[in-house]
Amino acid sequence: MNARLRKVREDLGQRLRVYKARRARAKSSATFIGITGSSGKSTAASLLGHILASHGSVYAQVLANTIKSLVSTLYKRMKTDGEVDYVVFEAGAHGPDTLKPMADMLQPHVAVVTMVRLEHFTAFRTLENVAGEKRALVDALQPGGFALLNADDPHVIGMASATPHRVVTFGLSEQADYRVTNVHAAYPDRLELAVHWRGGVLELKTPFPAEHFWLPTAAAVSVALELGVPPEKVAARVATFQPLPNRCQVLITNGGPQFIVDAAKSPWHSINLAFDMMAKATVERKRIVLGQISDYAGSTRKYHYAYKTAREIADQVIYVGDNAHRSGAGQDDRDAGRFHELRMPKEVSDHIKRTAVAGELILLKSSSRLHLERIALAWKHDVKCWVPVCGKREGCDTCGLFEVPFEEHRSHVRERRHARRWQRFRRLLGRQP
């Protein structure tokens, strides 16, 4: 009975929050920008928020991209932060009909679609189903708004055919309204590109280590220019952007290796992008650590195909996790040390600590399940949380508990919450915290 009452209370509470969120959206005079796509949406949303912050007040909701996050953004956080000029929201689709409720609540003035790929394979099965889900954001546009669509992706540009709203395009295509050229990155040289638009040519220098980041960069820049941000201000803000954790995040250690941490997502369609980044890097020694590949159809031979590519690029390839034995690496590679098969992230960390060469470049590539970012964090922090799978979707940087043993996380959080409450109580009494 208690469980049933608790469920009723939770449902009523959520309905109240949704009601307040809809009221807050109706009252707001902000420009609402929704960004979706199979990849690149987090970086595009974060970068766009960074650019717009030089042009007005902004609230950007990135990474937490569910209806629950949107409700919280509209009724709670926007109220706390006061009225803003721009709201940037990253909208994720985790299954059929999950994006439409967010789109209908957001009612965007600008809808951005970065690309359509077959992620969440078990939920969508086909590219057409993914495209249909992403299209919900375009369908929800407010009158007078516009859709920014990737001109190079047929499933994205196809959304322009039936929409009554204005369509702006970006991409490498000659026909794109914001055409990208001169894309170059070869780590340690960071990404540079040029954007051709009706106002001329905008040369951009970015902090990203790989060429494939041209897409989210171009998406964010195109929206900013379309909304009237001066080009020189756009270029300056792009140059000072701090990339998101675990999305090709560069971590340079003092006297040790350099890491590129790409451990937030690892869909099969993006594996070669990470490998291409490593192939173009101009460093003497390279290692690739590959964990879990996600979102693909077919057999686990994908790990075998990935190894064949990785071994041609890197001096050493390390597989970690439950699928480490699926590499298909030959005995000669194993004996020569070109391949290592390990099960636990802690084992990989220990191996790299023993064998590290100053200045070498190490790619950590996996889905978020294994939290391979701990391997890089261990060079600057005393990492004590090495549980193989913790079940948390957020990265270790966001969680912040990597220096606390996993079995102590709950008590640590409880004590920290208690300390904060005690500080607030002391302030109410007029005492120093």
Side-chain angles (χ1 to χ4, degrees):
M1 187 62 182
N2 289 338
R4 185 180 300 176
L5 287 174
R6 187 162 54 249
K7 180 66 165 59
V8 170
R9 186 171 63 250
E10 290 173 356
D11 289 345
L12 289 174
Q14 179 62 14
R15 290 185 184 184
L16 179 60
R17 287 189 289 270
V18 169
Y19 170 74
K20 290 181 177 180
R22 293 189 186 279
R23 284 193 61 188
R25 172 63 186 91
K27 291 180 179 180
S28 177
S29 60
T31 297
F32 285 79
I33 304 162
I35 300 180
T36 192
S38 299
S39 288
K41 58 183 178 292
S42 298
T43 297
S46 185
L47 177 56
L48 178 57
H50 180 71
I51 296 171
L52 290 176
S54 68
H55 196 61
S57 55
V58 181
Y59 183 84
Q61 178 65 54
V62 183
L63 300 179
N65 53 25
T66 64
I67 185 67
K68 184 177 180 181
S69 301
L70 178 57
V71 168
S72 178
T73 294
L74 292 175
Y75 100 91
K76 185 178 179 181
R77 305 215 173 150
M78 280 181 59
K79 182 178 179 182
T80 302
D81 295 343
E83 186 58 62
V84 295
D85 299 308
Y86 302 98
V87 176
V88 182
F89 182 78
E90 174 196 344
H94 307 284
D97 301 321
T98 54
L99 198 146
K100 189 177 186 304
M102 284 185 280
D104 291 343
M105 181 177 291
L106 186 65
Q107 301 176 51
H109 300 97
V110 182
V112 181
V113 185
T114 60
M115 67 172 70
V116 169
R117 297 292 187 271
L118 194 51
E119 293 193 27
H120 304 292
F121 173 77
T122 55
F124 289 110
R125 296 291 175 177
T126 69
L127 284 169
E128 290 71 21
N129 289 339
V130 177
E133 187 69 20
K134 303 296 185 186
R135 186 191 175 90
L137 192 66
V138 177
D139 293 339
L141 273 168
Q142 288 288 286
F146 68 91
L148 182 80
L149 303 179
N150 182 352
D152 305 327
D153 190 318
H155 288 92
V156 176
I157 198 62
M159 299 177 190
S161 60
T163 181
H165 304 283
R166 183 165 69 96
V167 172
V168 181
T169 59
F170 75 98
L172 303 173
S173 169
E174 290 281 347
Q175 288 72 42
D177 298 313
Y178 290 85
R179 180 168 62 90
V180 176
T181 63
N182 301 334
V183 177
H184 174 73
Y187 185 84
D189 293 342
R190 307 304 173 94
L191 171 66
E192 297 184 9
L193 66 151
V195 177
H196 302 250
W197 64 303
R198 62 182 181 273
V201 181
L202 184 60
E203 303 284 348
L204 298 170
K205 294 184 178 181
T206 84
F208 300 116
E211 289 185 351
H212 62 270
F213 280 94
W214 74 261
L215 194 151
T217 301
V221 166
S222 301
V223 173
L225 292 173
E226 201 68 18
L227 292 176
V229 182
E232 62 277 7
K233 190 176 287 187
V234 170
R237 296 295 285 183
V238 169
T240 60
F241 177 66
Q242 293 295 319
L244 292 170
N246 301 338
R247 285 167 166 78
C248 287
Q249 176 189 17
V250 176
L251 193 153
I252 299 175
T253 65
N254 185 19
Q258 308 170 75
F259 291 93
I260 296 182
V261 185
D262 196 12
K265 297 173 65 177
S266 188
W268 174 245
H269 73 78
S270 72
I271 292 290
N272 282 335
L273 296 177
F275 289 171
D276 182 63
M277 170 183 63
M278 291 294 287
K280 291 178 178 176
T282 57
V283 296
E284 291 187 5
R285 177 176 165 82
K286 306 174 186 178
R287 287 200 267 188
I288 293 175
V289 179
L290 184 65
Q292 184 181 43
I293 303 172
S294 60
D295 294 322
Y296 63 88
S299 71
T300 51
R301 285 186 63 80
K302 293 288 191 294
Y303 290 89
H304 174 61
Y305 302 145
Y307 177 68
K308 289 175 66 177
T309 303
R311 75 179 299 276
E312 298 301 319
I313 298 168
D315 298 282
Q316 185 179 84
V317 181
I318 303 169
Y319 270 31
V320 58
D322 294 340
N323 292 294
H325 63 290
R326 303 185 188 279
S327 68
Q331 193 59 46
D332 289 346
D333 282 357
R334 295 171 184 267
D335 293 342
R338 292 200 63 183
F339 175 77
H340 281 272
E341 175 185 320
L342 301 169
R343 293 293 170 177
M344 305 296 179
K346 180 67 164 64
E347 294 176 327
V348 179
S349 180
D350 292 342
H351 170 71
I352 291 177
K353 283 281 184 72
R354 288 193 304 269
T355 60
V357 175
E360 69 172 321
L361 183 62
I362 302 175
L363 169 67
L364 304 177
K365 180 66 178 176
S366 176
S367 69
S368 61
R369 183 170 180 266
L370 292 178
H371 293 292
L372 292 191
E373 64 268 22
R374 291 176 291 182
I375 297 169
L377 288 171
W379 284 80
K380 293 190 174 184
H381 301 272
D382 182 17
V383 176
K384 295 179 180 178
C385 179
W386 286 107
V387 62
V389 179
C390 70
K392 296 180 181 180
R393 296 184 63 181
E394 61 185 347
C396 293
D397 304 74
T398 305
C399 170
L401 297 176
F402 50 83
E403 293 184 304
V404 179
F406 179 74
E407 60 273 12
E408 297 177 17
H409 280 197
R410 285 189 177 182
S411 60
H412 182 84
V413 170
R414 188 163 53 246
E415 290 171 6
R416 193 168 59 185
R417 187 183 300 121
H418 176 75
R420 285 198 300 265
R421 288 174 177 171
W422 179 242
Q423 282 186 347
R424 288 196 296 268
F425 179 69
R426 287 178 65 87
R427 282 197 294 268
L428 287 173
L429 296 176
R431 300 178 184 177
Q432 290 297 321

